[in-house]
């Protein structure tokens, strides 16, 4: 069993209104030291395989087809054995 941890973030050149809203809220709460805020997604997938290469290929396909909108989002993932 392999665990895939997927991180999806908005590309740097794309506006992030949710991040801007969180930044404004933090500033209004007295956290003025907070600079730019970017919002993303975090996912954990349990893959029923022990083949690292197969898992990498499959997770990349999942990200490209569904988990990330590659026009406006970047993604990265980490694989680890799930004991």
């Amino acid at each position: 069993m392999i665990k895939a941890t997927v991180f999806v973030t908005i590309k740097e050149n794309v506006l992030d209104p949710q991040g801007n809203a969180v930044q404004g809220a933090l500033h209004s709460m007295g956290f003025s030291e907070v600079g730019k805020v970017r919002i993303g997604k975090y996912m954990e997938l349990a893959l029923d395989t022990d083949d690292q290469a197969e898992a990498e290929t499959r997770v990349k396909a999942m990200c490209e087809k569904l988990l990330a909108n590659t026009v406006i989002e970047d993604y990265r993932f980490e694989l680890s054995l799930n004991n």
Side-chain angles (χ1 to χ4, degrees):
M1 188 78 78
I2 291 180
K3 175 181 158 187
T5 305
V6 181
F7 304 89
V8 179
T9 55
I10 296 198
K11 290 183 178 185
E12 278 298 317
N13 60 345
V14 176
L15 293 177
D16 185 356
Q18 188 177 12
N20 291 341
V22 169
Q23 178 189 18
L26 288 169
H27 285 184
S28 70
M29 297 171 77
F31 299 105
S32 59
E33 70 275 14
V34 175
K36 190 176 191 178
V37 175
R38 306 291 284 176
I39 301 294
K41 297 180 275 188
Y42 169 86
M43 292 163 261
E44 290 183 357
L45 309 170
L47 306 175
D48 191 15
T49 183
D50 290 325
D51 184 332
Q52 193 90 2
E54 177 189 8
E56 188 169 330
T57 300
R58 299 294 286 165
V59 172
K60 183 176 184 198
M62 291 176 206
C63 289
E64 295 282 332
K65 292 180 178 184
L66 177 68
L67 301 179
N69 177 349
T70 56
V71 174
I72 62 169
E73 294 174 321
D74 290 322
Y75 68 88
R76 67 180 176 83
F77 58 88
E78 299 167 359
L79 300 176
S80 60
L81 289 175
N82 196 9
N83 298 326

